[in-house]
Amino acid sequence: MHANSPILQPVTIGGLSLKNRIVMAPMTRSRSDDAGVPPEYAAAYYAQRAGAGLIVTEATNISAQGRGYPRTPGIWTEEQVAAWRRVTDAVHERDGKIFLQLWHTGRMSHPDLHNGGLPVAPSAIKPEGQIRVHDGMKDFVTPRALDASELPGIVDDYRRAAENARRAGFDGVEVHAANNYLLEQFVRDSTNHRSDEYGGSLENRLRFPLEVVRAVVDVWGADRVGIRISPVTTAPGNTPLDSNTMATFGAFVDALSALGLLYIHDIEGVTQLSREATDGISFTALRERFNGAYIANNQYTLALAEQTLAAGDADLFSIGRPFIANPDLVERLRTGAPLAEAPKEYWYGGDATGYSDWPGLNGR
Ligand SMILES: Cc1cc2nc3c(=O)[nH]c(=O)nc-3n(C[C@H](O)[C@H](O)[C@H](O)COP(=O)(O)O)c2cc1C
């Protein structure tokens, strides 16, 4: 029994009262239709997981241009907004809180998603490896470098997506600046070789991501905006993305802190694979540079969360994979009940099976 665990007690961050310190991490599940509309059963899926203090949705495309993977949801059409409204209503009925994760995949995409057109990126640099498309895996292609004149339009897409998230009833939004999608492609010096005011110096590389964050803050107020970062993650390849990772992320976090954001959501280590702080990164140093809340992620268990909270090294803890097969994960942590495990075949694609049909404790 862990009913008294400090992780499982109510907490307030910014102006947001949460049932506990557990966050459901964003997880792409690829069940939307080709128009990027989440299915009806997504409302049940998220509501079943409303025992989390906060849910961060699967990454959600801000525009058609932002898409990188088949059957991922969007937030740029009225149909998408209406479908998300069903989700937020269902979560709020269960007294949960839910943020939408705002996504533009940049070069981590494929012409199959863009009627044969090239994905866009800060620079024309091909990612290593392959990407999932409708009919299996394909090699990445060299993206088209964005012209500076196109960037204000993308900032507007983020602003519109943030406004749509408000209309859809979310409690806030998380800007996805992790896992080498568009915003991180600008931040990292290996993926940004621009020679204009959006590349080169650290200040220039941070310019576009910060313009995006400011636009989203204009819509929501800084106390309802979080951001996700993954300083150690090397995706899509295995080599560090930065020549000086700590300097880059130190400056990024300082700027985010100055904007007064609600939280930074830090993937500590290589996403899903390792918790090691390689490449000169210190997670605690990043946390200390940020005035708002710190959400720690990557392979957290209740015991590790308790230890980290006691050391003062995080405020909230996001958990991903265990939420797939354990809709009532928080209840199971509270009671010490065993955790179910989801076979990988259910992670991406398919229908309600392996998604919204996992039973809670005692089959509830
Ligand atoms: C199926 C799956 C989908 C994911 N999709 C996203 C996503 O949409 N956005 C994101 O920021 N991270 C995504 N991640 C990463 C998770 O949020 C999390 O960082 C990772 O699973 C490590 O946490 P865990 O050890 O608690 O699972 C995904 C992970 C999995 C397993």
Side-chain angles (χ1 to χ4, degrees):
M1 291 293 281
H2 302 279
N4 296 326
S5 169
I7 302 296
L8 305 179
Q9 309 311 313
V11 62
T12 299
I13 60 156
L16 210 60
S17 310
L18 308 179
K19 288 178 197 173
N20 52 63
R21 293 177 185 268
I22 299 285
V23 177
M24 176 177 163
M27 279 186 294
T28 293
R29 303 298 307 278
S30 302
R31 261 91 173 167
S32 296
D33 66 17
D34 286 338
V37 179
E40 287 218 31
Y41 53 81
Y45 165 76
Y46 281 110
Q48 289 158 4
R49 286 155 181 80
L54 175 65
I55 294 171
V56 182
T57 67
E58 65 208 273
T60 298
N61 303 299
I62 58 153
S63 63
Q65 183 197 60
R67 288 172 307 161
Y69 301 86
R71 298 190 60 189
T72 51
I75 187 79
W76 74 89
T77 71
E78 287 307 309
E79 227 188 325
Q80 293 163 349
V81 172
W84 280 120
R85 170 55 87 171
R86 279 199 301 271
V87 171
T88 62
D89 283 347
V91 169
H92 291 148
E93 258 166 47
R94 301 278 294 263
D95 210 17
K97 296 254 164 39
I98 181 164
F99 275 35
L100 182 74
Q101 192 184 47
L102 298 174
W103 200 22
H104 187 309
T105 62
R107 68 181 192 146
M108 304 275 274
S109 183
H110 192 276
D112 283 10
L113 276 288
H114 303 285
N115 301 319
L118 289 177
V120 297
S123 301
I125 301 170
K126 187 164 96 145
E128 282 178 48
Q130 294 195 313
I131 186 155
R132 203 161 20 89
V133 293
H134 282 100
D135 46 354
M137 302 294 288
K138 286 195 179 167
D139 288 345
F140 277 115
V141 300
T142 303
R144 176 176 73 76
L146 284 159
D147 192 85
S149 65
E150 296 176 87
L151 298 180
I154 301 180
V155 173
D156 283 345
D157 289 342
Y158 271 97
R159 185 178 291 111
R160 195 165 320 111
E163 285 165 0
N164 287 344
R166 272 192 91 105
R167 291 195 297 119
F170 284 96
D171 297 290
V173 289
E174 176 174 292
V175 175
H176 194 346
N179 297 341
N180 207 238
Y181 295 113
L182 182 70
L183 299 184
E184 205 199 82
Q185 291 158 29
F186 272 88
V187 169
R188 304 282 203 174
D189 61 9
S190 71
T191 48
N192 182 345
H193 291 177
R194 300 179 72 92
S195 55
D196 60 8
E197 71 267 43
Y198 291 97
S201 68
L202 181 48
E203 190 188 351
N204 281 356
R205 283 185 278 126
L206 297 180
R207 190 179 310 281
F208 178 66
L210 292 173
E211 285 177 1
V212 165
V213 171
R214 275 192 217 100
V216 173
V217 164
D218 279 349
V219 175
W220 275 94
D223 61 343
R224 291 300 174 111
V225 177
I227 190 161
R228 196 160 212 228
I229 57 172
S230 55
V232 172
T233 291
T234 57
N238 300 312
T239 41
L241 291 162
D242 237 285
S243 56
N244 192 342
T245 308
M246 190 60 201
T248 297
F249 279 86
F252 193 21
V253 167
D254 287 347
L256 296 167
S257 187
L259 289 173
L261 291 202
L262 178 66
Y263 67 74
I264 47 173
H265 186 174
D266 189 8
I267 303 174
E268 299 173 335
V270 177
T271 314
Q272 294 180 39
L273 298 180
S274 134
R275 290 197 36 79
E276 232 181 299
T278 53
D279 212 19
I281 275 286
S282 159
F283 306 127
T284 50
L286 289 179
R287 167 176 164 65
E288 278 161 16
R289 291 169 84 139
F290 187 72
N291 275 328
Y294 178 95
I295 308 181
N297 170 254
N298 213 13
Q299 303 179 349
Y300 270 90
T301 58
L302 184 61
L304 181 58
E306 286 174 349
Q307 199 184 312
T308 308
L309 184 70
D313 288 342
D315 302 292
L316 305 178
F317 301 87
S318 83
I319 298 187
R321 289 162 290 177
F323 262 111
I324 295 179
N326 301 280
D328 51 356
L329 179 65
V330 170
E331 196 50 30
R332 292 187 200 214
L333 296 177
R334 212 181 282 286
T335 58
L339 300 186
E341 200 155 318
K344 273 195 177 175
E345 67 195 81
Y346 293 133
W347 286 15
Y348 304 108
D351 50 26
T353 306
Y355 177 74
S356 52
D357 65 349
W358 290 99
L361 286 171
N362 309 320
R364 275 184 287 134

